[in-house]
Amino acid sequence: MTINEKIQTMLKIYTRIVTGIFFFLFFYLHFIMNDAMVGVSDIAGIHLCGIISAVAYLPLITDKEYSKTKMIVINVVHFLIVNITVLSIGYFLKWFTFKNYKTVAGLESMILLIYAIMVFIEYKIDNCQAARMNKKIQERNSRSNTGV
């Protein structure tokens, strides 16, 4: 994997995680915690979660293609890293306390949901790219078979 591809991968992960957290935060604050405020340290913490999650993914990827089993292992390991990162930063910034199991469960649900959405989006994008490549190959093969 080239350095440009690694940077693109990091930016995709960072963008998806941070965007997911901000969407969740918007709905949480709008519908559940009407009077809550978000501070600069919270915003910085969200960006730090995205940066750490993106950088932590790099050592896990070395090739362009993986078996299904290896991709599952990579995603589980990365999910654990993201989970530990968000919980650590969230605890430090007082987003929750371990004494209140409902907020911990809510945060865990948010982490799982955002990660699942991120993996699903990546899966759909990869499938679309594969379909386009297969279509181009079929068109090229059909033109070479007809003598065009």
Side-chain angles (χ1 to χ4, degrees), residues 45-77:
I46 291 168
H47 285 288
L48 186 59
C49 288
I51 291 168
I52 292 171
S53 299
V55 171
Y57 193 72
L58 284 185
L60 301 175
I61 55 173
T62 54
D63 301 326
K64 286 188 175 187
E65 296 181 26
Y66 297 101
S67 66
K68 285 184 182 181
T69 304
K70 190 168 183 179
M71 278 309 299
I72 290 171
V73 169
I74 287 170
N75 279 314
V76 167
V77 169

mmCIF file of all heavy atoms in Angstrom, residues 45-77:
data_model
loop_
_atom_site.group_PDB
_atom_site.id
_atom_site.type_symbol
_atom_site.label_atom_id
_atom_site.label_comp_id
_atom_site.label_asym_id
_atom_site.label_seq_id
_atom_site.Cartn_x
_atom_site.Cartn_y
_atom_site.Cartn_z
ATOM 1 N N GLY A 45 -11.948 16.358 21.968
ATOM 2 C CA GLY A 45 -11.958 14.932 22.308
ATOM 3 C C GLY A 45 -12.521 14.082 21.181
ATOM 4 O O GLY A 45 -12.011 12.991 20.897
ATOM 5 N N ILE A 46 -13.553 14.572 20.526
ATOM 6 C CA ILE A 46 -14.142 13.851 19.390
ATOM 7 C C ILE A 46 -13.124 13.752 18.258
ATOM 8 O O ILE A 46 -12.938 12.688 17.665
ATOM 9 C CB ILE A 46 -15.438 14.546 18.921
ATOM 10 C CG1 ILE A 46 -16.534 14.373 19.977
ATOM 11 C CG2 ILE A 46 -15.906 13.996 17.574
ATOM 12 C CD1 ILE A 46 -17.757 15.235 19.767
ATOM 13 N N HIS A 47 -12.450 14.858 17.970
ATOM 14 C CA HIS A 47 -11.425 14.827 16.920
ATOM 15 C C HIS A 47 -10.263 13.915 17.304
ATOM 16 O O HIS A 47 -9.726 13.197 16.455
ATOM 17 C CB HIS A 47 -10.929 16.241 16.608
ATOM 18 C CG HIS A 47 -11.907 17.039 15.823
ATOM 19 N ND1 HIS A 47 -12.171 16.803 14.491
ATOM 20 C CD2 HIS A 47 -12.726 18.058 16.189
ATOM 21 C CE1 HIS A 47 -13.094 17.650 14.065
ATOM 22 N NE2 HIS A 47 -13.451 18.419 15.082
ATOM 23 N N LEU A 48 -9.891 13.906 18.575
ATOM 24 C CA LEU A 48 -8.824 13.012 19.032
ATOM 25 C C LEU A 48 -9.238 11.548 18.872
ATOM 26 O O LEU A 48 -8.422 10.713 18.458
ATOM 27 C CB LEU A 48 -8.476 13.325 20.488
ATOM 28 C CG LEU A 48 -7.282 12.583 21.072
ATOM 29 C CD1 LEU A 48 -6.012 12.869 20.271
ATOM 30 C CD2 LEU A 48 -7.087 12.963 22.538
ATOM 31 N N CYS A 49 -10.498 11.240 19.139
ATOM 32 C CA CYS A 49 -11.007 9.871 18.909
ATOM 33 C C CYS A 49 -10.842 9.491 17.438
ATOM 34 O O CYS A 49 -10.407 8.381 17.125
ATOM 35 C CB CYS A 49 -12.482 9.771 19.290
ATOM 36 S SG CYS A 49 -12.832 9.821 21.046
ATOM 37 N N GLY A 50 -11.191 10.409 16.537
ATOM 38 C CA GLY A 50 -11.058 10.146 15.103
ATOM 39 C C GLY A 50 -9.614 9.955 14.680
ATOM 40 O O GLY A 50 -9.292 9.043 13.914
ATOM 41 N N ILE A 51 -8.720 10.796 15.191
ATOM 42 C CA ILE A 51 -7.299 10.702 14.826
ATOM 43 C C ILE A 51 -6.703 9.389 15.315
ATOM 44 O O ILE A 51 -6.042 8.675 14.551
ATOM 45 C CB ILE A 51 -6.517 11.913 15.388
ATOM 46 C CG1 ILE A 51 -6.927 13.192 14.663
ATOM 47 C CG2 ILE A 51 -5.009 11.689 15.285
ATOM 48 C CD1 ILE A 51 -6.443 14.469 15.337
ATOM 49 N N ILE A 52 -6.928 9.063 16.581
ATOM 50 C CA ILE A 52 -6.374 7.814 17.134
ATOM 51 C C ILE A 52 -6.942 6.609 16.406
ATOM 52 O O ILE A 52 -6.217 5.667 16.076
ATOM 53 C CB ILE A 52 -6.628 7.736 18.656
ATOM 54 C CG1 ILE A 52 -5.808 8.809 19.372
ATOM 55 C CG2 ILE A 52 -6.290 6.347 19.186
ATOM 56 C CD1 ILE A 52 -6.133 8.975 20.842
ATOM 57 N N SER A 53 -8.232 6.629 16.120
ATOM 58 C CA SER A 53 -8.861 5.506 15.412
ATOM 59 C C SER A 53 -8.286 5.342 14.014
ATOM 60 O O SER A 53 -8.080 4.215 13.549
ATOM 61 C CB SER A 53 -10.367 5.719 15.315
ATOM 62 O OG SER A 53 -10.930 5.797 16.600
ATOM 63 N N ALA A 54 -8.022 6.446 13.334
ATOM 64 C CA ALA A 54 -7.471 6.391 11.976
ATOM 65 C C ALA A 54 -6.034 5.888 11.998
ATOM 66 O O ALA A 54 -5.655 5.014 11.215
ATOM 67 C CB ALA A 54 -7.549 7.761 11.315
ATOM 68 N N VAL A 55 -5.229 6.418 12.896
ATOM 69 C CA VAL A 55 -3.819 6.021 12.976
ATOM 70 C C VAL A 55 -3.699 4.561 13.432
ATOM 71 O O VAL A 55 -2.840 3.826 12.946
ATOM 72 C CB VAL A 55 -3.033 6.969 13.907
ATOM 73 C CG1 VAL A 55 -1.635 6.462 14.177
ATOM 74 C CG2 VAL A 55 -2.987 8.371 13.304
ATOM 75 N N ALA A 56 -4.571 4.140 14.336
ATOM 76 C CA ALA A 56 -4.523 2.768 14.846
ATOM 77 C C ALA A 56 -4.859 1.737 13.779
ATOM 78 O O ALA A 56 -4.492 0.570 13.903
ATOM 79 C CB ALA A 56 -5.477 2.617 16.024
ATOM 80 N N TYR A 57 -5.543 2.150 12.725
ATOM 81 C CA TYR A 57 -5.923 1.213 11.663
ATOM 82 C C TYR A 57 -4.745 0.877 10.752
ATOM 83 O O TYR A 57 -4.683 -0.212 10.190
ATOM 84 C CB TYR A 57 -7.071 1.819 10.834
ATOM 85 C CG TYR A 57 -7.753 0.828 9.927
ATOM 86 C CD1 TYR A 57 -8.573 -0.163 10.453
ATOM 87 C CD2 TYR A 57 -7.595 0.881 8.556
ATOM 88 C CE1 TYR A 57 -9.217 -1.067 9.628
ATOM 89 C CE2 TYR A 57 -8.232 -0.023 7.714
ATOM 90 C CZ TYR A 57 -9.036 -0.996 8.262
ATOM 91 O OH TYR A 57 -9.669 -1.888 7.444
ATOM 92 N N LEU A 58 -3.799 1.807 10.623
ATOM 93 C CA LEU A 58 -2.689 1.616 9.679
ATOM 94 C C LEU A 58 -1.868 0.352 9.912
ATOM 95 O O LEU A 58 -1.576 -0.365 8.952
ATOM 96 C CB LEU A 58 -1.779 2.844 9.667
ATOM 97 C CG LEU A 58 -2.337 4.036 8.917
ATOM 98 C CD1 LEU A 58 -1.304 5.148 8.871
ATOM 99 C CD2 LEU A 58 -2.768 3.676 7.522
ATOM 100 N N PRO A 59 -1.452 0.054 11.133
ATOM 101 C CA PRO A 59 -0.663 -1.177 11.315
ATOM 102 C C PRO A 59 -1.426 -2.458 10.984
ATOM 103 O O PRO A 59 -0.816 -3.510 10.758
ATOM 104 C CB PRO A 59 -0.281 -1.163 12.791
ATOM 105 C CG PRO A 59 -0.526 0.205 13.265
ATOM 106 C CD PRO A 59 -1.552 0.805 12.366
ATOM 107 N N LEU A 60 -2.750 -2.361 10.946
ATOM 108 C CA LEU A 60 -3.566 -3.544 10.688
ATOM 109 C C LEU A 60 -3.669 -3.875 9.202
ATOM 110 O O LEU A 60 -4.058 -4.979 8.843
ATOM 111 C CB LEU A 60 -4.969 -3.338 11.267
ATOM 112 C CG LEU A 60 -5.039 -3.062 12.771
ATOM 113 C CD1 LEU A 60 -6.470 -2.757 13.178
ATOM 114 C CD2 LEU A 60 -4.487 -4.226 13.566
ATOM 115 N N ILE A 61 -3.353 -2.913 8.342
ATOM 116 C CA ILE A 61 -3.486 -3.143 6.904
ATOM 117 C C ILE A 61 -2.116 -3.149 6.249
ATOM 118 O O ILE A 61 -1.296 -2.280 6.489
ATOM 119 C CB ILE A 61 -4.403 -2.089 6.237
ATOM 120 C CG1 ILE A 61 -3.909 -0.672 6.519
ATOM 121 C CG2 ILE A 61 -5.838 -2.254 6.682
ATOM 122 C CD1 ILE A 61 -4.640 0.402 5.768
ATOM 123 N N THR A 62 -1.880 -4.157 5.449
ATOM 124 C CA THR A 62 -0.615 -4.262 4.728
ATOM 125 C C THR A 62 -0.830 -4.544 3.251
ATOM 126 O O THR A 62 -0.024 -4.166 2.431
ATOM 127 C CB THR A 62 0.263 -5.385 5.333
ATOM 128 O OG1 THR A 62 -0.491 -6.603 5.359
ATOM 129 C CG2 THR A 62 0.708 -5.021 6.745
ATOM 130 N N ASP A 63 -1.918 -5.213 2.928
ATOM 131 C CA ASP A 63 -2.218 -5.588 1.548
ATOM 132 C C ASP A 63 -3.465 -4.848 1.081
ATOM 133 O O ASP A 63 -4.121 -4.164 1.846
ATOM 134 C CB ASP A 63 -2.477 -7.097 1.442
ATOM 135 C CG ASP A 63 -1.285 -7.923 1.909
ATOM 136 O OD1 ASP A 63 -0.146 -7.473 1.694
ATOM 137 O OD2 ASP A 63 -1.510 -8.999 2.489
ATOM 138 N N LYS A 64 -3.774 -5.038 -0.201
ATOM 139 C CA LYS A 64 -5.011 -4.467 -0.732
ATOM 140 C C LYS A 64 -6.165 -5.448 -0.626
ATOM 141 O O LYS A 64 -7.311 -5.046 -0.596
ATOM 142 C CB LYS A 64 -4.825 -4.062 -2.198
ATOM 143 C CG LYS A 64 -3.998 -2.820 -2.364
ATOM 144 C CD LYS A 64 -4.027 -2.366 -3.791
ATOM 145 C CE LYS A 64 -3.301 -1.054 -3.946
ATOM 146 N NZ LYS A 64 -3.426 -0.492 -5.265
ATOM 147 N N GLU A 65 -5.858 -6.726 -0.620
ATOM 148 C CA GLU A 65 -6.915 -7.730 -0.582
ATOM 149 C C GLU A 65 -6.693 -8.661 0.606
ATOM 150 O O GLU A 65 -5.577 -9.073 0.887
ATOM 151 C CB GLU A 65 -6.924 -8.534 -1.878
ATOM 152 C CG GLU A 65 -7.256 -7.697 -3.093
ATOM 153 C CD GLU A 65 -7.294 -8.515 -4.367
ATOM 154 O OE1 GLU A 65 -7.555 -9.726 -4.282
ATOM 155 O OE2 GLU A 65 -7.058 -7.936 -5.423
ATOM 156 N N TYR A 66 -7.791 -8.985 1.280
ATOM 157 C CA TYR A 66 -7.741 -9.858 2.445
ATOM 158 C C TYR A 66 -8.820 -10.918 2.331
ATOM 159 O O TYR A 66 -9.845 -10.709 1.689
ATOM 160 C CB TYR A 66 -7.992 -9.055 3.728
ATOM 161 C CG TYR A 66 -6.961 -8.000 4.005
ATOM 162 C CD1 TYR A 66 -7.216 -6.664 3.720
ATOM 163 C CD2 TYR A 66 -5.735 -8.326 4.548
ATOM 164 C CE1 TYR A 66 -6.283 -5.689 3.982
ATOM 165 C CE2 TYR A 66 -4.787 -7.357 4.810
ATOM 166 C CZ TYR A 66 -5.066 -6.048 4.525
ATOM 167 O OH TYR A 66 -4.143 -5.085 4.780
ATOM 168 N N SER A 67 -8.598 -12.019 3.030
ATOM 169 C CA SER A 67 -9.645 -13.031 3.121
ATOM 170 C C SER A 67 -10.729 -12.494 4.057
ATOM 171 O O SER A 67 -10.509 -11.540 4.816
ATOM 172 C CB SER A 67 -9.070 -14.327 3.688
ATOM 173 O OG SER A 67 -8.665 -14.143 5.039
ATOM 174 N N LYS A 68 -11.891 -13.119 4.004
ATOM 175 C CA LYS A 68 -12.982 -12.682 4.875
ATOM 176 C C LYS A 68 -12.595 -12.814 6.341
ATOM 177 O O LYS A 68 -12.890 -11.941 7.154
ATOM 178 C CB LYS A 68 -14.246 -13.494 4.590
ATOM 179 C CG LYS A 68 -14.949 -13.104 3.328
ATOM 180 C CD LYS A 68 -16.232 -13.883 3.155
ATOM 181 C CE LYS A 68 -16.888 -13.488 1.837
ATOM 182 N NZ LYS A 68 -18.147 -14.193 1.647
ATOM 183 N N THR A 69 -11.916 -13.900 6.680
ATOM 184 C CA THR A 69 -11.514 -14.134 8.063
ATOM 185 C C THR A 69 -10.556 -13.045 8.539
ATOM 186 O O THR A 69 -10.720 -12.507 9.636
ATOM 187 C CB THR A 69 -10.838 -15.513 8.199
ATOM 188 O OG1 THR A 69 -11.730 -16.510 7.709
ATOM 189 C CG2 THR A 69 -10.482 -15.808 9.641
ATOM 190 N N LYS A 70 -9.582 -12.700 7.708
ATOM 191 C CA LYS A 70 -8.622 -11.677 8.101
ATOM 192 C C LYS A 70 -9.301 -10.313 8.246
ATOM 193 O O LYS A 70 -8.995 -9.554 9.160
ATOM 194 C CB LYS A 70 -7.475 -11.598 7.100
ATOM 195 C CG LYS A 70 -6.343 -10.722 7.587
ATOM 196 C CD LYS A 70 -5.099 -10.863 6.744
ATOM 197 C CE LYS A 70 -3.987 -10.010 7.338
ATOM 198 N NZ LYS A 70 -2.746 -10.112 6.607
ATOM 199 N N MET A 71 -10.252 -9.997 7.363
ATOM 200 C CA MET A 71 -10.976 -8.728 7.475
ATOM 201 C C MET A 71 -11.808 -8.677 8.757
ATOM 202 O O MET A 71 -11.894 -7.631 9.400
ATOM 203 C CB MET A 71 -11.878 -8.494 6.263
ATOM 204 C CG MET A 71 -11.185 -7.922 5.066
ATOM 205 S SD MET A 71 -10.208 -6.444 5.377
ATOM 206 C CE MET A 71 -11.410 -5.290 5.966
ATOM 207 N N ILE A 72 -12.401 -9.797 9.134
ATOM 208 C CA ILE A 72 -13.170 -9.837 10.374
ATOM 209 C C ILE A 72 -12.253 -9.597 11.566
ATOM 210 O O ILE A 72 -12.567 -8.796 12.458
ATOM 211 C CB ILE A 72 -13.939 -11.175 10.506
ATOM 212 C CG1 ILE A 72 -15.063 -11.220 9.477
ATOM 213 C CG2 ILE A 72 -14.476 -11.359 11.923
ATOM 214 C CD1 ILE A 72 -15.752 -12.568 9.357
ATOM 215 N N VAL A 73 -11.091 -10.256 11.569
ATOM 216 C CA VAL A 73 -10.131 -10.074 12.659
ATOM 217 C C VAL A 73 -9.655 -8.617 12.718
ATOM 218 O O VAL A 73 -9.595 -8.009 13.786
ATOM 219 C CB VAL A 73 -8.936 -11.041 12.513
ATOM 220 C CG1 VAL A 73 -7.813 -10.692 13.478
ATOM 221 C CG2 VAL A 73 -9.393 -12.478 12.711
ATOM 222 N N ILE A 74 -9.338 -8.037 11.560
ATOM 223 C CA ILE A 74 -8.893 -6.640 11.503
ATOM 224 C C ILE A 74 -9.976 -5.716 12.061
ATOM 225 O O ILE A 74 -9.694 -4.817 12.859
ATOM 226 C CB ILE A 74 -8.513 -6.238 10.055
ATOM 227 C CG1 ILE A 74 -7.192 -6.895 9.665
ATOM 228 C CG2 ILE A 74 -8.428 -4.728 9.896
ATOM 229 C CD1 ILE A 74 -6.838 -6.757 8.199
ATOM 230 N N ASN A 75 -11.221 -5.939 11.654
ATOM 231 C CA ASN A 75 -12.312 -5.086 12.134
ATOM 232 C C ASN A 75 -12.571 -5.260 13.625
ATOM 233 O O ASN A 75 -12.865 -4.280 14.322
ATOM 234 C CB ASN A 75 -13.589 -5.332 11.332
ATOM 235 C CG ASN A 75 -13.582 -4.580 10.026
ATOM 236 O OD1 ASN A 75 -13.252 -3.405 9.979
ATOM 237 N ND2 ASN A 75 -13.921 -5.260 8.951
ATOM 238 N N VAL A 76 -12.455 -6.473 14.135
ATOM 239 C CA VAL A 76 -12.653 -6.691 15.578
ATOM 240 C C VAL A 76 -11.554 -5.999 16.374
ATOM 241 O O VAL A 76 -11.828 -5.307 17.355
ATOM 242 C CB VAL A 76 -12.718 -8.206 15.904
ATOM 243 C CG1 VAL A 76 -12.602 -8.454 17.398
ATOM 244 C CG2 VAL A 76 -14.003 -8.815 15.364
ATOM 245 N N VAL A 77 -10.305 -6.155 15.939
ATOM 246 C CA VAL A 77 -9.186 -5.508 16.634
ATOM 247 C C VAL A 77 -9.339 -3.986 16.572
ATOM 248 O O VAL A 77 -9.178 -3.292 17.580
ATOM 249 C CB VAL A 77 -7.830 -5.965 16.051
ATOM 250 C CG1 VAL A 77 -6.683 -5.123 16.574
ATOM 251 C CG2 VAL A 77 -7.586 -7.437 16.348
#
